[in-house]
Amino acid sequence: MNASTTDPATAPAHPGDALDGRRLIVVGAGSHIGRQLARTASAAGAELILAGPDEDRLKETASGLAGPARIQPLDLADEDSITALATAAGRFDHLVSTAAMPANGPVAGLRLAAVQRAFAAKVIGPLLLAKHLAGQAADGGSFTFFSGVAAWRPAPERVVMATTNGALSFLVEALAVELAPVRVNAVSPGIVDSGAWDGLGEVKAAFLRGIAERNPARRVGAPDDLVRAVLYAMSNPYVTGTVLHVDGGGRLV
Protein backbone atom coordinates (compact mmCIF):
# COMPACT_ATOMS: atom_id res chain seq x y z
CA MET A 1 0.00 0.00 0.00
CA ASN A 2 1.36 3.43 -0.90
CA ALA A 3 2.00 5.84 1.93
CA SER A 4 -0.30 8.84 2.14
CA THR A 5 1.16 12.08 0.82
CA THR A 6 -1.02 14.10 3.17
CA ASP A 7 -0.30 14.26 6.88
CA PRO A 8 -3.64 14.27 8.76
CA ALA A 9 -2.05 16.42 11.42
CA THR A 10 -1.45 19.18 8.89
CA ALA A 11 -4.74 18.85 7.00
CA PRO A 12 -7.01 21.91 7.23
CA ALA A 13 -9.46 21.87 10.12
CA HIS A 14 -12.17 23.18 7.79
CA PRO A 15 -12.24 22.85 3.99
CA GLY A 16 -12.34 26.63 3.62
CA ASP A 17 -9.00 26.90 5.41
CA ALA A 18 -7.34 25.27 2.40
CA LEU A 19 -8.12 28.40 0.33
CA ASP A 20 -6.02 30.86 2.31
CA GLY A 21 -3.63 32.44 -0.19
CA ARG A 22 -4.87 30.29 -3.06
CA ARG A 23 -6.00 31.55 -6.48
CA LEU A 24 -9.52 30.42 -7.37
CA ILE A 25 -11.24 30.86 -10.75
CA VAL A 26 -15.03 30.98 -10.48
CA VAL A 27 -16.77 30.56 -13.83
CA GLY A 28 -20.36 31.73 -13.43
CA ALA A 29 -19.47 34.13 -10.62
CA GLY A 30 -22.40 36.38 -11.54
CA SER A 31 -24.92 33.63 -10.81
CA HIS A 32 -26.62 32.86 -7.50
CA ILE A 33 -24.44 29.89 -6.54
CA GLY A 34 -21.27 31.29 -8.11
CA ARG A 35 -21.67 34.50 -6.14
CA GLN A 36 -22.19 32.64 -2.87
CA LEU A 37 -19.09 30.55 -3.55
CA ALA A 38 -17.06 33.66 -4.36
CA ARG A 39 -18.08 35.33 -1.11
CA THR A 40 -17.26 32.24 0.96
CA ALA A 41 -13.91 31.67 -0.74
CA SER A 42 -12.94 35.33 -0.46
CA ALA A 43 -13.76 35.35 3.25
CA ALA A 44 -11.53 32.27 3.58
CA GLY A 45 -8.57 34.18 2.13
CA ALA A 46 -8.65 33.19 -1.55
CA GLU A 47 -7.65 35.45 -4.41
CA LEU A 48 -10.42 35.29 -6.98
CA ILE A 49 -10.77 35.51 -10.73
CA LEU A 50 -14.44 36.06 -11.52
CA ALA A 51 -15.41 34.87 -15.00
CA GLY A 52 -18.68 34.92 -16.88
CA PRO A 53 -20.57 36.51 -19.77
CA ASP A 54 -22.14 39.45 -17.89
CA GLU A 55 -19.50 41.95 -16.75
CA ASP A 56 -21.99 44.01 -14.72
CA ARG A 57 -22.99 40.98 -12.66
CA LEU A 58 -19.34 40.09 -12.13
CA LYS A 59 -18.69 43.61 -10.86
CA GLU A 60 -21.64 43.26 -8.51
CA THR A 61 -20.13 40.06 -7.13
CA ALA A 62 -16.70 41.67 -6.78
CA SER A 63 -18.11 44.61 -4.85
CA GLY A 64 -19.25 42.34 -2.02
CA LEU A 65 -16.01 40.42 -1.51
CA ALA A 66 -13.66 40.61 1.45
CA GLY A 67 -10.47 40.10 -0.54
CA PRO A 68 -8.86 40.71 -3.93
CA ALA A 69 -10.67 39.80 -7.14
CA ARG A 70 -10.22 40.30 -10.86
CA ILE A 71 -12.94 40.20 -13.51
CA GLN A 72 -12.56 38.27 -16.75
CA PRO A 73 -15.36 38.24 -19.36
CA LEU A 74 -15.89 34.69 -20.63
CA ASP A 75 -18.00 32.97 -23.28
CA LEU A 76 -17.76 29.18 -22.97
CA ALA A 77 -18.93 28.84 -26.58
CA ASP A 78 -15.87 30.79 -27.80
CA GLU A 79 -12.47 29.08 -27.56
CA ASP A 80 -10.64 32.40 -27.99
CA SER A 81 -12.45 33.66 -24.91
CA ILE A 82 -11.25 30.62 -22.95
CA THR A 83 -7.64 31.12 -24.09
CA ALA A 84 -7.91 34.74 -22.93
CA LEU A 85 -9.01 33.50 -19.50
CA ALA A 86 -6.00 31.16 -19.38
CA THR A 87 -3.65 34.02 -20.24
CA ALA A 88 -5.20 36.32 -17.64
CA ALA A 89 -5.31 33.69 -14.90
CA GLY A 90 -1.74 32.42 -15.02
CA ARG A 91 -0.93 29.91 -12.32
CA PHE A 92 -3.99 28.97 -10.26
CA ASP A 93 -5.05 26.46 -7.62
CA HIS A 94 -8.69 25.64 -8.31
CA LEU A 95 -11.30 26.28 -10.99
CA VAL A 96 -15.03 25.94 -10.38
CA SER A 97 -17.66 26.30 -13.08
CA THR A 98 -21.34 26.65 -12.18
CA ALA A 99 -22.22 27.54 -15.78
CA ALA A 100 -25.50 26.37 -17.28
CA MET A 101 -27.57 27.43 -20.29
CA PRO A 102 -30.78 25.35 -20.16
CA ALA A 103 -32.54 24.47 -23.41
CA ASN A 104 -35.84 23.15 -22.06
CA GLY A 105 -38.94 22.25 -23.99
CA PRO A 106 -40.43 19.47 -26.11
CA VAL A 107 -37.96 17.74 -28.41
CA ALA A 108 -40.08 18.68 -31.43
CA GLY A 109 -39.62 22.37 -30.63
CA LEU A 110 -35.93 22.44 -29.76
CA ARG A 111 -33.77 24.99 -31.55
CA LEU A 112 -30.29 23.91 -32.57
CA ALA A 113 -28.66 27.12 -31.37
CA ALA A 114 -30.14 26.68 -27.88
CA VAL A 115 -29.01 23.05 -27.74
CA GLN A 116 -25.51 24.06 -28.81
CA ARG A 117 -25.37 26.73 -26.07
CA ALA A 118 -26.44 24.15 -23.49
CA PHE A 119 -23.67 21.79 -24.55
CA ALA A 120 -21.16 24.65 -24.64
CA ALA A 121 -21.90 25.49 -21.01
CA LYS A 122 -21.92 21.95 -19.63
CA VAL A 123 -19.73 19.82 -21.90
CA ILE A 124 -17.69 21.61 -24.57
CA GLY A 125 -16.83 24.56 -22.33
CA PRO A 126 -15.55 22.39 -19.47
CA LEU A 127 -13.53 20.33 -21.95
CA LEU A 128 -11.92 23.49 -23.36
CA LEU A 129 -11.30 24.88 -19.87
CA ALA A 130 -9.39 21.69 -19.14
CA LYS A 131 -7.55 21.92 -22.45
CA HIS A 132 -6.29 25.46 -21.91
CA LEU A 133 -5.91 25.67 -18.13
CA ALA A 134 -4.91 22.24 -16.80
CA GLY A 135 -1.24 22.92 -17.50
CA GLN A 136 -1.41 26.01 -15.30
CA ALA A 137 -2.86 24.28 -12.23
CA ALA A 138 -0.62 24.30 -9.16
CA ASP A 139 0.28 21.17 -7.24
CA GLY A 140 -2.88 19.90 -5.57
CA GLY A 141 -4.99 21.80 -8.10
CA SER A 142 -8.50 20.86 -9.15
CA PHE A 143 -11.43 21.48 -11.44
CA THR A 144 -14.99 21.27 -10.13
CA PHE A 145 -17.94 21.43 -12.53
CA PHE A 146 -21.68 21.48 -11.91
CA SER A 147 -23.84 18.64 -13.18
CA GLY A 148 -27.46 18.24 -12.00
CA VAL A 149 -30.09 15.83 -10.77
CA ALA A 150 -31.90 15.85 -14.14
CA ALA A 151 -29.29 13.40 -15.44
CA TRP A 152 -30.53 10.81 -12.94
CA ARG A 153 -34.20 11.87 -12.93
CA PRO A 154 -35.06 12.70 -16.55
CA ALA A 155 -38.40 14.35 -17.16
CA PRO A 156 -40.45 15.41 -20.19
CA GLU A 157 -39.17 18.61 -21.79
CA ARG A 158 -35.83 18.27 -19.97
CA VAL A 159 -34.07 16.03 -22.50
CA VAL A 160 -31.20 18.43 -23.17
CA MET A 161 -30.73 19.17 -19.47
CA ALA A 162 -30.58 15.46 -18.65
CA THR A 163 -28.17 14.74 -21.50
CA THR A 164 -25.72 17.58 -20.83
CA ASN A 165 -25.59 16.88 -17.11
CA GLY A 166 -25.11 13.17 -17.75
CA ALA A 167 -22.37 13.84 -20.29
CA LEU A 168 -20.58 16.05 -17.79
CA SER A 169 -20.61 13.28 -15.19
CA PHE A 170 -18.72 11.02 -17.60
CA LEU A 171 -16.45 13.85 -18.72
CA VAL A 172 -15.11 14.42 -15.20
CA GLU A 173 -14.19 10.73 -14.93
CA ALA A 174 -12.29 10.82 -18.22
CA LEU A 175 -10.57 14.12 -17.40
CA ALA A 176 -9.58 12.87 -13.94
CA VAL A 177 -7.65 10.05 -15.60
CA GLU A 178 -6.04 12.13 -18.35
CA LEU A 179 -5.19 15.23 -16.29
CA ALA A 180 -3.91 13.38 -13.20
CA PRO A 181 -2.61 14.40 -10.74
CA VAL A 182 -4.84 17.45 -11.30
CA ARG A 183 -8.16 16.42 -9.77
CA VAL A 184 -11.51 16.75 -11.56
CA ASN A 185 -14.91 16.40 -9.87
CA ALA A 186 -18.52 17.45 -10.27
CA VAL A 187 -21.22 18.62 -7.90
CA SER A 188 -24.75 17.57 -8.83
CA PRO A 189 -27.40 19.77 -7.20
CA GLY A 190 -31.00 18.84 -6.70
CA ILE A 191 -33.70 21.47 -6.18
CA VAL A 192 -32.04 24.41 -4.46
CA ASP A 193 -33.74 27.60 -3.30
CA SER A 194 -31.05 29.84 -4.76
CA GLY A 195 -33.32 32.42 -6.37
CA ALA A 196 -33.57 30.48 -9.62
CA TRP A 197 -37.16 29.51 -8.79
CA ASP A 198 -38.36 33.03 -7.95
CA GLY A 199 -39.95 33.29 -11.39
CA LEU A 200 -42.63 30.84 -10.25
CA GLY A 201 -44.19 33.65 -8.27
CA GLU A 202 -46.96 32.66 -5.87
CA VAL A 203 -46.65 28.94 -6.61
CA LYS A 204 -42.97 28.81 -5.62
CA ALA A 205 -43.66 28.03 -1.96
CA ALA A 206 -46.00 25.15 -2.81
CA PHE A 207 -43.54 23.79 -5.38
CA LEU A 208 -40.64 23.76 -2.91
CA ARG A 209 -42.84 22.33 -0.18
CA GLY A 210 -43.80 19.43 -2.45
CA ILE A 211 -40.14 18.74 -3.24
CA ALA A 212 -39.27 18.75 0.47
CA GLU A 213 -42.07 16.33 1.30
CA ARG A 214 -40.84 13.81 -1.29
CA ASN A 215 -37.10 14.12 -0.67
CA PRO A 216 -35.55 11.63 1.76
CA ALA A 217 -33.84 14.61 3.45
CA ARG A 218 -37.29 16.23 3.84
CA ARG A 219 -36.03 19.63 2.70
CA VAL A 220 -34.88 21.50 -0.37
CA GLY A 221 -31.32 22.66 -0.79
CA ALA A 222 -29.75 25.97 0.14
CA PRO A 223 -26.83 27.65 -1.66
CA ASP A 224 -24.53 26.91 1.27
CA ASP A 225 -25.15 23.17 0.82
CA LEU A 226 -23.55 23.42 -2.61
CA VAL A 227 -20.73 25.68 -1.47
CA ARG A 228 -19.79 23.14 1.21
CA ALA A 229 -19.68 20.39 -1.40
CA VAL A 230 -17.40 22.48 -3.63
CA LEU A 231 -15.07 23.24 -0.71
CA TYR A 232 -14.89 19.53 0.04
CA ALA A 233 -14.11 18.66 -3.58
CA MET A 234 -11.35 21.25 -3.70
CA SER A 235 -9.78 20.45 -0.34
CA ASN A 236 -9.81 16.64 -0.21
CA PRO A 237 -6.70 15.43 -2.06
CA TYR A 238 -8.04 11.87 -2.38
CA VAL A 239 -11.24 12.75 -4.25
CA THR A 240 -11.18 12.82 -8.04
CA GLY A 241 -13.38 11.59 -10.88
CA THR A 242 -16.35 11.81 -8.53
CA VAL A 243 -19.86 13.26 -8.71
CA LEU A 244 -20.99 14.62 -5.36
CA HIS A 245 -24.78 14.39 -5.23
CA VAL A 246 -26.18 17.29 -3.20
CA ASP A 247 -29.85 16.64 -3.82
CA GLY A 248 -31.35 15.49 -0.53
CA GLY A 249 -31.73 12.05 -2.10
CA GLY A 250 -34.00 13.48 -4.79
CA ARG A 251 -32.51 11.29 -7.52
CA LEU A 252 -33.64 8.20 -5.59
CA VAL A 253 -37.39 8.85 -5.43
Side-chain angles (χ1 to χ4, degrees):
M1 181 179 294
N2 293 332
S4 171
T5 58
T6 302
D7 182 354
T10 62
H14 182 276
D17 297 341
L19 295 180
D20 190 21
R22 302 294 195 269
R23 179 173 294 172
L24 173 62
I25 303 170
V26 181
V27 176
S31 69
H32 302 289
I33 303 302
R35 182 169 293 167
Q36 178 78 5
L37 173 62
R39 289 171 176 168
T40 302
S42 182
E47 173 196 347
L48 297 182
I49 298 172
L50 309 176
D54 190 327
E55 195 167 351
D56 288 338
R57 291 182 64 84
L58 296 178
K59 290 178 179 177
E60 185 178 347
T61 298
S63 68
L65 299 182
R70 289 183 281 145
I71 290 172
Q72 180 65 34
L74 177 68
D75 179 359
L76 288 177
D78 180 1
E79 187 168 8
D80 289 342
S81 179
I82 294 173
T83 59
L85 170 64
T87 300
R91 196 78 165 160
F92 72 97
D93 294 280
H94 304 286
L95 182 149
V96 181
S97 177
T98 68
M101 288 289 290
N104 297 329
V107 170
L110 290 175
R111 295 180 178 273
L112 178 59
V115 174
Q116 290 171 329
R117 285 195 300 271
F119 273 85
K122 287 280 190 174
V123 184
I124 300 171
L127 183 60
L128 293 177
L129 288 169
K131 171 185 175 181
H132 291 287
L133 286 134
Q136 298 172 202
D139 291 345
S142 73
F143 289 81
T144 304
F145 301 109
F146 268 53
S147 181
V149 71
W152 290 266
R153 293 285 293 174
E157 302 188 11
R158 298 293 185 270
V159 169
V160 177
M161 181 180 289
T163 304
T164 54
N165 285 321
L168 178 59
S169 71
F170 286 104
L171 176 62
V172 299
E173 294 182 353
L175 288 176
V177 173
E178 177 155 344
L179 302 184
V182 176
R183 295 180 298 106
V184 186
N185 294 295
V187 170
S188 178
I191 303 300
V192 177
D193 188 8
S194 64
W197 301 100
D198 291 353
L200 294 177
E202 294 180 357
V203 304
K204 172 187 169 181
F207 168 73
L208 295 180
R209 185 166 56 251
I211 295 295
E213 290 171 352
R214 293 191 299 274
N215 258 7
R218 298 296 188 265
R219 59 180 284 254
V220 297
D224 189 57
D225 296 321
L226 302 181
V227 171
R228 291 185 183 193
V230 172
L231 293 176
Y232 172 79
M234 289 191 295
S235 65
N236 192 316
Y238 205 48
V239 174
T240 191
T242 295
V243 178
L244 301 176
H245 294 279
V246 189
D247 59 12
R251 73 191 182 284
L252 306 175
V253 295

